[in-house]
Amino acid sequence: INTLEYKHLPNFDKEIKTINQFISNFNSLESSIQQRNNEYVIKELKTSDNILSDIEGKSLDVQQRKAVVIDEDNNLIIAGAGSGKTTTIAGKVKYLTERLNVDKSKILLISFTRKSADEMSDRIRNKMKIELPVKTFHKLGLDIIAESTNEKPSIFSLSAKEITE
């Protein structure tokens, strides 16, 4: 746009300043969001210190604490064996229910194996006294099918002898 042809309009200088400010704000939007998010995490870590210092009798480390307080719709925890995944998830449950007052019926924990789902459920139920569903992906799928069709699907099973005949 050639601004010279509009320079004679009233409030032209003011409008140009407003437009330039908008462009500047828009161009720095991503970094502004990142800065605000970082400030939120730092503040929330301080505010939640007492909750995060007693998860199953343990104090979460910095990485675990950040995983707990960073507010996302979905959280995926990936780490090696014995690194504290279940403790971190338990911390997230405690943080959500105690600090953010999230209704525990709105929380679903999913694990890949029945063994890890059972362990997570036992630890959260027995050590933290919080009842909520912990399911495998397969159990969740089965429950969704059963709820949507009003009947639990049967699982077809053949013995090894029947398969070879």
Side-chain angles (χ1 to χ4, degrees):
I1 294 177
N2 184 354
T3 58
L4 292 177
E5 57 188 276
Y6 300 105
K7 202 158 182 79
H8 68 282
L9 294 175
N11 298 322
F12 174 80
D13 290 336
K14 183 179 175 188
E15 297 298 332
I16 288 294
K17 283 182 182 180
T18 302
I19 290 168
N20 287 335
Q21 184 62 48
F22 172 82
I23 291 169
S24 175
N25 290 343
F26 181 78
N27 288 335
S28 65
L29 185 60
E30 198 63 40
S31 64
S32 295
I33 290 170
Q34 188 63 45
Q35 180 182 347
R36 294 285 299 246
N37 286 347
N38 290 338
E39 290 168 2
Y40 168 82
V41 169
I42 290 166
K43 178 180 171 247
E44 198 59 25
L45 287 171
K46 288 177 186 173
T47 304
S48 303
D49 183 62
N50 62 332
I51 291 173
L52 304 176
S53 293
D54 183 20
I55 306 299
E56 302 178 308
K58 300 173 188 166
S59 182
L60 298 182
D61 67 25
V62 174
Q63 283 185 320
Q64 290 171 315
R65 288 170 183 251
K66 284 184 179 179
V68 167
V69 302
I70 291 176
D71 187 22
E72 298 291 343
D73 291 336
N74 301 292
N75 296 282
L76 178 63
I77 305 292
I78 300 174
S83 61
K85 292 180 297 295
T86 303
T87 303
T88 302
I89 292 167
K92 185 75 167 191
V93 168
K94 185 176 180 182
Y95 173 79
L96 290 171
T97 56
E98 290 184 16
R99 169 84 174 108
L100 301 184
N101 298 315
V102 172
D103 182 349
K104 61 187 171 190
S105 70
K106 304 289 184 197
I107 300 171
L108 170 63
L109 302 176
I110 302 175
S111 184
F112 285 103
T113 67
R114 184 179 305 165
K115 181 180 175 187
S116 64
D118 289 345
E119 178 192 351
M120 193 181 318
S121 179
D122 288 344
R123 285 171 63 175
I124 290 171
R125 180 181 302 115
N126 297 331
K127 291 185 180 181
M128 300 176 60
K129 308 298 184 219
I130 300 172
E131 290 282 335
L132 55 96
V134 181
K135 300 181 180 191
T136 64
F137 285 99
H138 293 99
K139 176 66 172 142
L140 176 63
L142 185 67
D143 289 350
I144 290 170
I145 292 168
E147 185 178 321
S148 65
T149 63
N150 291 323
E151 62 181 76
K152 186 174 181 179
S154 63
I155 299 174
F156 186 71
S157 169
L158 291 175
S159 68
K161 183 180 175 190
E162 292 173 305
I163 293 173
T164 57
E165 291 178 354

